[in-house]
Amino acid sequence: MQTLTIKIKDNLVSEVMTVLEQFKDSIQITKDKNLELDSYFYERQNKLHKIINRMDKNPSVLTNFEDFEIKMDKLEKELEDKYAN
């Protein structure tokens, strides 16, 4: 048995399912759980892999936690000062 992924335009799903009905004893049709939960799952996954690869190649782009805390404290103070009035 082989596994295939088929992308079908929304307006053709029922027609394709009708055609496949004649093969119901020989094929198994399942929905991709990832796409049911998040229709952009694979795009997000691809983007995340690119980010991880970029970070692996150049770890200096990462901010260490201490710097992050300092920047967030500064931002929090700026926001408090701005909206305190």
Side-chain angles (χ1 to χ4, degrees), residues 2-49:
Q2 293 185 16
T3 301
L4 303 173
T5 299
I6 301 172
K7 291 184 179 183
I8 304 169
K9 289 185 179 181
D10 289 341
N11 61 337
L12 292 176
V13 172
S14 62
E15 291 178 47
V16 171
M17 294 304 285
T18 302
V19 171
L20 292 175
E21 181 67 25
Q22 63 185 317
F23 302 107
K24 67 183 175 188
D25 296 331
S26 301
I27 64 172
Q28 177 184 8
I29 299 174
T30 57
K31 290 186 177 183
D32 187 322
K33 293 285 186 196
N34 293 320
L35 293 177
E36 281 186 39
L37 298 171
D38 177 2
S39 59
Y40 296 100
F41 175 83
Y42 292 105
E43 288 88 345
R44 293 181 210 281
Q45 183 185 51
N46 188 29
K47 205 175 208 180
L48 181 60
H49 286 295

Side-chain angles (χ1 to χ4, degrees), residues 39-73:
S39 59
Y40 296 100
F41 175 83
Y42 292 105
E43 288 88 345
R44 293 181 210 281
Q45 183 185 51
N46 188 29
K47 205 175 208 180
L48 181 60
H49 286 295
K50 286 180 182 179
I51 291 168
I52 291 170
N53 287 336
R54 197 170 53 225
M55 288 178 355
D56 285 344
K57 289 178 184 175
N58 187 6
S60 66
V61 297
L62 298 175
T63 300
N64 70 40
F65 188 72
E66 291 80 19
D67 289 344
F68 173 79
E69 278 188 312
I70 292 168
K71 289 176 184 177
M72 289 300 105
D73 288 344

